[in-house]
Amino acid sequence: MSAYRDKDPRIHGIQSRIRVVPNFPKSGIMFQDITTLLLDPKAFKDTVDLFVERYRGKNISVVAGIEARGFIFGPAIALEIGAKFVPLRKPKKLPGKVISEEYELEYGRDCLEMHLGAVEPGDRALVVDDLIATGGTLCAAMKLLERVGADVVECACVIELPDLKGREQLNGKPLYVLVESH
Amino acid sequence: MRRALILYSSNPIYSQLSTTRAPPGYVVFPKRDGGWIPPSSSYQPPVFRMRNYKCTLPPPLGSVGAASDSVANRPKMASQDEQDPRISKISSAIRVIPNFPKPGIMFQDITTLLLDTKAFRDTIDLFVERYRGKDISVVAGIEARGFIFGPPIALAIGAKFVPMRKPNKLPGEVISEEYSLEYGTDKMEMHVGAVQAGERALIIDDLIATGGTLCAAIRLLERVGVQVVECACVIELPELKGRERLGDKPLFVLVSSD
């Protein structure tokens, strides 16, 4: 599901503010840079509003944001819908007791961590990141939440790269995005 | 022991809180309950001069102009009974983790604050109330915990948000500033073109310790001609004297932790 397809009038402004940087972090990758979106207060507000309108009043108690660009969008959404914000971080950043979930990268593996006790069984959760590519990171995030008994209601990203088929990696969990980039 | 306080920065403020004149000899800054602070107290006026601010009171004695912004005039902390009632809940929501990331360090963990929806809301509101309507066009947030507090503030005051990041994270052309760590150095980067000369900026981070990171952020912004109006953090560790390291740049914090 995407707001892009729903043709909300705010989408055009959001999409046009995202800058594509070629060959970053390496040759052949067209990097979707959301920092230019953040420089336009109206477009940034519209981005957050589109998510808030979707999730307000749906009994969401947790917004989990993936380090670091998920931290830019997640807290604003959490504050507006009255949910707690839970940062999901790279290893050794969180100071308290954590649970970890490993996931595959193109070359090698990485790990995502969450504080124990942040999320409780029965919490209804969103997972927020700026972009979904292969879906590996989002999958690890969902697993972390489900391991502690939360119900992942939806994954929400500003941008989807549909050619990388991340949507199919989410084990049937719904994905909502604002913008698609081919 | 943690004291929960509001600490004020070092520029004069013309307050809109009171419409009555202070009695002669009293410090011209009202208390929240409408009373005045007697000259015998050690309290010094909270300070923040903003452009376009409509002055309804005579200016505080000796506080006008650059000469008054010296360290000598820098105010002490607001007394406990001045404290905003939201502060104590914010303070108690912060968890201290001993010996992280290494023995002897008492780590101030704000993730527990983020689990308390009201306290997190209050944290943002306290900053927004201070900076709204003050012509601030840039909120710069320091990776990664500055990304949690900065954007909601930016959205509420209508400013852009600029992430200040570790090396090699930002995809476009960047400018870099090196800064010292306890052992070695690190680098902070900002996108070229994110900010323009003449813009008024806040810098946000969750905590100020030695002030090294904040200093690097200030330098990055000033190098491109931006005016850093204030640095704002949730927590200060005053024993590490970060405030002094910021020099003439004001610092506003919600909570002080000894």
Side-chain angles (χ1 to χ4, degrees):
Chain A
M1 219 174 312
S2 71
Y4 179 72
R5 300 220 190 102
D6 298 341
K7 292 187 176 34
D8 186 290
R10 291 168 284 186
I11 288 296
H12 180 259
I14 292 168
Q15 177 142 40
S16 64
R17 299 300 188 276
I18 295 166
R19 169 173 72 162
V20 179
V21 182
N23 302 314
F24 183 89
K26 53 185 201 191
S27 299
I29 310 255
M30 301 295 276
F31 189 90
Q32 305 284 324
D33 179 19
I34 49 92
T35 67
T36 41
L37 170 64
L38 310 176
L39 300 180
D40 181 337
K42 181 183 185 309
F44 184 20
K45 184 171 189 313
D46 286 345
T47 304
V48 174
D49 284 350
L50 279 158
F51 291 119
V52 169
E53 286 162 20
R54 183 175 179 80
Y55 299 119
R56 180 178 269 147
K58 302 278 171 34
N59 235 268
I60 309 264
S61 51
V62 172
V63 173
I66 299 180
E67 165 165 25
R69 290 183 290 265
F71 291 7
I72 295 176
F73 299 96
I77 298 167
L79 285 161
E80 286 295 312
I81 70 174
K84 24 188 197 187
F85 178 72
V86 175
L88 304 184
R89 299 208 68 173
K90 295 280 160 73
K92 303 193 169 52
K93 302 288 184 77
L94 292 170
K97 281 219 179 88
V98 296
I99 57 166
S100 298
E101 183 73 31
E102 252 192 9
Y103 62 102
E104 301 274 331
L105 295 173
E106 192 181 4
Y107 301 111
R109 318 203 60 166
D110 205 341
C111 200
L112 208 57
E113 295 188 335
M114 179 175 76
H115 267 148
L116 272 175
V119 172
E120 277 148 21
D123 266 330
R124 284 167 51 80
L126 292 182
V127 183
V128 174
D129 207 355
D130 65 322
L131 178 145
I132 174 172
T134 61
T137 323
L138 275 169
C139 239
M142 286 191 331
K143 290 201 183 114
L144 274 173
L145 291 161
E146 289 176 337
R147 276 166 61 189
V148 296
D151 171 24
V152 176
V153 173
E154 194 157 84
C155 295
C157 301
V158 180
I159 305 161
E160 179 184 12
L161 305 180
D163 299 341
L164 297 180
K165 303 194 193 309
R167 195 179 279 268
E168 292 160 30
Q169 296 301 315
L170 302 182
N171 297 322
K173 276 295 179 226
L175 169 71
Y176 177 74
V177 304
L178 304 187
V179 158
E180 292 172 15
S181 184
H182 296 272
Chain B
M1 186 187 47
R2 174 183 295 133
R3 282 167 292 153
L5 301 160
I6 293 197
L7 302 182
Y8 292 90
S9 63
S10 62
N11 296 321
I13 190 174
Y14 301 116
S15 171
Q16 281 178 323
L17 290 178
S18 168
T19 56
T20 65
R21 291 182 80 89
Y26 274 56
V27 173
V28 186
F29 188 80
K31 290 161 72 160
R32 288 180 70 85
D33 63 359
W36 296 97
I37 295 151
S40 57
S41 102
S42 60
Y43 179 82
Q44 300 211 18
V47 287
F48 204 153
R49 180 188 223 132
M50 294 294 192
R51 212 169 67 188
N52 301 325
Y53 190 97
K54 298 253 183 324
C55 176
T56 60
L57 295 168
L61 296 171
S63 63
V64 177
S68 64
D69 292 338
S70 67
V71 173
N73 281 345
R74 189 159 293 183
K76 311 293 186 298
M77 306 166 196
S79 52
Q80 291 273 13
D81 62 6
E82 300 295 320
Q83 183 177 292
D84 188 290
R86 293 169 284 186
I87 291 287
S88 68
K89 291 269 168 54
I90 291 169
S91 179
S92 59
I94 296 165
R95 170 171 72 160
V96 180
I97 307 258
N99 302 314
F100 183 89
K102 52 184 200 189
I105 309 256
M106 302 294 278
F107 190 90
Q108 306 282 323
D109 179 20
I110 49 92
T111 68
T112 43
L113 171 63
L114 310 177
L115 300 178
D116 180 334
T117 49
K118 178 164 192 320
F120 183 22
R121 173 85 259 158
D122 287 345
T123 302
I124 299 299
D125 285 351
L126 280 159
F127 291 119
V128 169
E129 286 162 20
R130 183 175 180 82
Y131 299 119
R132 177 179 270 146
K134 302 285 180 11
D135 234 20
I136 293 179
S137 55
V138 177
V139 172
I142 299 180
E143 167 165 22
R145 290 183 289 264
F147 290 7
I148 296 175
F149 298 98
I153 297 168
L155 286 162
I157 69 175
K160 43 188 177 180
F161 178 72
V162 176
M164 315 286 260
R165 298 210 68 173
K166 296 275 158 75
N168 306 314
K169 302 290 185 78
L170 291 170
E173 204 190 337
V174 297
I175 59 168
S176 297
E177 184 73 31
E178 235 184 41
Y179 61 101
S180 298
L181 298 171
E182 194 182 3
Y183 301 109
T185 60
D186 206 343
K187 249 205 263 186
M188 179 180 294
E189 296 187 337
M190 177 174 77
H191 267 149
V192 167
V195 295
Q196 265 75 61
E199 292 205 78
R200 286 160 54 78
L202 294 180
I203 304 176
I204 307 279
D205 207 355
D206 65 321
L207 179 144
I208 175 173
T210 61
T213 321
L214 276 169
C215 263
I218 293 169
R219 283 197 297 271
L220 266 176
L221 290 164
E222 290 188 331
R223 273 166 61 188
V224 294
V226 166
Q227 180 198 353
V228 176
V229 173
E230 193 158 81
C231 296
C233 302
V234 179
I235 306 161
E236 178 185 15
L237 305 181
E239 287 167 355
L240 297 179
K241 302 195 190 311
R243 189 178 283 268
E244 273 108 88
R245 190 134 168 220
L246 301 185
D248 64 342
K249 287 290 169 282
L251 171 70
F252 176 74
V253 306
L254 304 185
V255 162
S256 181
S257 185
D258 294 310

